[in-house]
Amino acid sequence: MRSKIVAGNWKMNKNYKETKVLVKEIKKSIKRLPLDNTRVIIAPTFVNLSIATKRAEKSAIEVVAQNMHQATNGAYTGEVSAEMLKSIGVNTVILGHSERRTLFGETDKILTEKVNAALENELEIIFCFGELLEDRKSDKHFEVVKSQLENALFHLDALAWNHIVLAYEPVWAIGTGETATPEQAQEMHAFIRKLLQEKYTTVVADNTSILYGGSVKPTNAEEIFSKEDVDGGLIGGASLKVEDFTAIIKAI
Ligand code: 13P
């Protein structure tokens, strides 16, 4: 079901103690906010998912994972499976983040396997994708985004889309301080929704939440979120400070 979402991707930040502190601070600061149809999500590192989940109890905060392995179990040193996430009460996983693609070699094929494994284990997916700067400069951004979605998600049936949230993150805007303009975000989100309509149905297109990610800050969040097809944000750096994260939640 389409909802407004503000999700904080903590990446490789916050140790055990810092995680407890930040969850507590967010819990306190959003307590009296009228969240209505807005989901507040945080994605700490694997080692801190358990404590974050415990500390987020009795609050609106949902704790999700940043990644998972596609296999059920076995000889995959250093990896974490979908079933393991479920077993500690994590129900959502971020897949396809550009850092996973570029730094850890995750291809569309690997992502397809991860998507399938997540859905088999009844995990919701926040699926990230987005073009590189050279793609945009050479006017290939629509083509690139289309192929990322087609390659990893378009084998799914319409029902599976009840468990998918999309996060458009132009790589050139991640951690750079350079944000897509609200118009650029809207243009791409509308394009994505049209793809969903053509491949599936208007219902799937209308019910899928599409988030924008890439240097979202308290100063630009409201304008980006005001766009018709932008349902919220996937926030990196600004999700690590309670004041900034709260201000972004308020902007939605
Ligand atoms: P920044 O908000 O730090 O640019 O990171 C965006 C991001 O990668 C969220 O997943």
Side-chain angles (χ1 to χ4, degrees):
M1 199 54 205
R2 184 158 162 192
S3 46
K4 301 268 181 204
I5 299 174
V6 178
N9 176 7
W10 291 9
K11 308 191 180 183
M12 200 173 73
N13 293 294
K14 304 292 174 189
N15 65 23
Y16 184 76
K17 201 170 160 198
E18 291 162 348
T19 298
K20 287 198 286 184
V21 171
L22 186 53
V23 173
K24 192 174 168 192
E25 286 175 346
I26 297 171
K27 197 169 169 176
K28 192 167 163 227
S29 80
I30 66 167
K31 205 169 177 176
R32 291 188 214 299
L33 293 185
L35 290 172
D36 303 323
N37 186 31
T38 302
R39 294 171 63 188
V40 175
I41 290 176
I42 57 169
T45 58
F46 281 135
V47 282
N48 293 319
L49 283 174
S50 240
I51 188 65
T53 304
K54 275 199 198 82
R55 295 297 162 113
E57 268 172 16
K58 299 202 184 81
S59 81
I61 304 169
E62 295 175 49
V63 178
V64 316
Q66 297 175 19
N67 180 33
M68 52 161 253
H69 193 269
Q70 60 272 37
T72 311
N73 52 40
Y76 301 99
T77 301
E79 293 293 331
V80 172
S81 73
E83 192 272 330
M84 289 169 189
L85 296 176
K86 285 291 281 191
S87 73
I88 58 161
V90 169
N91 296 312
T92 302
V93 63
I94 297 173
L95 292 178
H97 193 280
S98 82
E99 286 143 24
R100 300 293 324 166
R101 292 175 191 257
T102 54
L103 303 175
F104 302 98
E106 292 196 3
T107 57
D108 286 344
K109 183 175 174 292
I110 293 172
L111 287 170
T112 307
E113 291 169 8
K114 290 193 176 199
V115 163
N116 293 342
L119 292 174
E120 276 160 25
N121 285 278
E122 296 177 352
L123 281 175
E124 176 192 44
I125 297 164
I126 299 176
F127 188 83
C128 307
F129 54 93
E131 81 282 359
L132 304 171
L133 185 58
E134 58 253 41
D135 299 326
R136 184 160 280 266
K137 279 189 173 158
S138 54
D139 217 18
K140 291 212 175 85
H141 45 299
F142 293 116
E143 199 182 304
V144 168
V145 161
K146 186 173 182 222
S147 79
Q148 286 173 326
L149 293 177
E150 278 176 351
N151 293 346
L153 296 176
F154 278 13
H155 63 289
L156 299 172
D157 62 21
L159 267 184
W161 283 83
N162 290 328
H163 311 285
I164 309 247
V165 168
L166 296 178
Y168 168 58
E169 300 203 302
V171 179
W172 47 272
I174 296 177
T176 58
E178 191 176 342
T179 326
T181 64
E183 291 69 30
Q184 284 172 323
Q186 169 58 28
E187 187 185 33
M188 183 58 85
H189 286 218
F191 171 75
I192 295 161
R193 227 179 272 291
K194 190 154 166 286
L195 286 179
L196 291 178
Q197 191 194 351
E198 284 165 5
K199 168 71 186 169
Y200 295 97
T201 58
T202 307
V203 175
V204 169
D206 288 348
N207 285 349
T208 301
S209 299
I210 309 177
L211 314 183
Y212 167 80
S215 299
V216 176
K217 300 182 272 288
T219 45
N220 59 24
E222 194 169 342
E223 217 189 333
I224 295 171
F225 294 165
S226 71
K227 294 295 174 192
E228 188 184 344
D229 287 299
V230 179
D231 299 307
L234 185 54
I235 324 296
S239 71
L240 300 171
K241 282 197 202 130
V242 67
E243 303 80 20
D244 289 355
F245 194 52
T246 309
I248 292 170
I249 295 167
K250 283 183 183 163
I252 205 156

